[in-house]
Amino acid sequence: MFTGKANVNNHAHIITNSDKCLVSWFHAYFVHRDISSHLTRQGASRYKLTKAALEKLEVLLPPYVEQKKITNILSVWDKAITTTEQLLANSRQQKKALMQKLLTGKVRLLDENGVRFDGKWIASSLKKISEFIKDGTHGTHERHDYGIPMLSATNITKDGKVDFNDAPLISVEDYKKIHSRYKIARGDILLTVVGTLGRVAIVEVDATFTLQRSVAIIRLEKSISVDFVRQIFSSPHFTSILIRRSNSTAQAGVYLGELAKIHINIPDIDEQNKIACVLSIADQEISALKKKLDALKIEKKALMQQLLTGKRRVTIN
């Protein structure tokens, strides 16, 4: 909904309050409803809701005073959602600023004795700090209804999780051929290197699966904190490095040789762990806000299904 002065072109319709229907009720009633059957095709991929079609839309109307009460209730949920969205955006921005300071050594934290870290950071290539860097299989394997999941970049989520949903399945025999020399293990880092660049997750459970070419496996030396490197990999700066090193094909990709050459700055292990801990706390705050936001949206949707259909009536004072 819009308040204030504005000019509207012929691609929009203006709906105002009437003595039977509040604009806020009309908006709430239709915002989550599918009206695609009322649209007119205006080209290959353009659709339009004409004025005539708009006028024929049926809307369920409770008494005027009940409309107002219901929309006021829903507005409380809208405000809670907006506030949580703002808090989430602020937390993400604060973490981004924190990463720029802590992952570059511009700001040094205190050790367990309250003394500020002052050791020298060392620039090292990923090759030097890794036991191995491999990507998923380049081959084509027959899909099965049952078998071993083969994950792609789409199975590495934005929030750093490994999602097995909708992953194609290959035979145990093909899996054994792919992993005849190594197995994916707990603590390995998965990094997307084809198409969507820079999504990162740590293998946190013992699970049997394999990967397509779009995901690289990085197993670090024991002296390097997996959580610290994960934070580096998830930083905007590292993503920009991947983009610069990607090939120029239609689907951007980073070859393993280029990935192995990337240098990162590393402090001693105690400082690595402290930085990872601080950034992990920021991640937990972001995750909690995201869960709260998702819950608010689900609860509001459920409430709308009750209030906007008359299944649940409100008390009018």
Side-chain angles (χ1 to χ4, degrees), residues 128-185:
K128 288 184 178 180
I129 64 171
S130 302
E131 290 186 18
F132 66 75
I133 300 174
K134 298 181 180 294
D135 55 7
T137 177
H138 291 229
T140 301
H141 302 276
E142 184 179 352
R143 278 24 175 184
H144 296 271
D145 293 331
Y146 302 94
I148 307 299
M150 174 179 279
L151 308 185
S152 67
T154 59
N155 297 102
I156 309 301
T157 67
K158 291 181 180 179
D159 55 354
K161 303 297 182 183
V162 181
D163 182 6
F164 288 87
N165 290 330
D166 300 323
L169 304 175
I170 64 171
S171 68
V172 174
E173 290 73 19
D174 282 340
Y175 168 79
K176 289 179 178 179
K177 291 176 184 177
I178 296 169
H179 293 279
S180 60
R181 296 184 180 181
Y182 74 97
K183 296 288 188 296
I184 301 171

Side-chain angles (χ1 to χ4, degrees), residues 20 35 46 55 90 119 121 133 182 195 199 221 269 281 295 314 317:
K20 293 183 180 180
I35 60 171
R46 292 183 61 192
E55 291 174 339
N90 290 341
W121 288 42
I133 300 174
Y182 74 97
R199 288 191 182 180
E221 298 286 351
I269 187 63
I281 291 172
V314 298
N317 297 327

Side-chain angles (χ1 to χ4, degrees), residues 2 13-17 21-23 26-27 30 49 54 57:
F2 177 81
H13 302 297
I14 301 173
I15 299 172
T16 61
N17 291 321
C21 182
L22 286 167
V23 168
F26 184 90
H27 176 266
F30 283 105
L49 179 65
L54 176 62
L57 288 178

Side-chain angles (χ1 to χ4, degrees), residues 41-152:
R41 184 183 289 273
Q42 302 288 311
S45 59
R46 292 183 61 192
Y47 292 85
K48 181 178 181 179
L49 179 65
T50 65
K51 181 182 177 182
L54 176 62
E55 291 174 339
K56 292 179 181 178
L57 288 178
E58 292 185 350
V59 56
L60 192 62
L61 290 176
Y64 200 84
V65 66
E66 190 172 358
Q67 293 179 39
K68 189 172 183 179
K69 184 69 177 289
I70 291 173
T71 54
N72 285 343
I73 291 172
L74 294 177
S75 71
V76 173
W77 289 87
D78 288 335
K79 289 176 182 177
I81 289 171
T82 299
T83 299
T84 306
E85 286 174 338
Q86 291 172 344
L87 289 172
L88 180 57
N90 290 341
S91 292
R92 283 172 170 163
Q93 189 60 38
Q94 289 170 3
K95 194 216 167 181
K96 183 178 178 181
L98 201 57
M99 294 173 83
Q100 291 173 340
K101 295 175 181 178
L102 296 183
L103 295 177
T104 59
K106 292 179 181 178
V107 172
R108 309 294 289 271
L109 298 171
L110 303 179
D111 63 18
E112 59 181 11
N113 298 315
V115 179
R116 197 167 298 280
F117 288 104
D118 61 0
K120 185 179 180 181
W121 288 42
I122 297 174
S124 180
S125 68
L126 291 180
K127 181 178 180 180
K128 288 184 178 180
I129 64 171
S130 302
E131 290 186 18
F132 66 75
I133 300 174
K134 298 181 180 294
D135 55 7
T137 177
H138 291 229
T140 301
H141 302 276
E142 184 179 352
R143 278 24 175 184
H144 296 271
D145 293 331
Y146 302 94
I148 307 299
M150 174 179 279
L151 308 185
S152 67

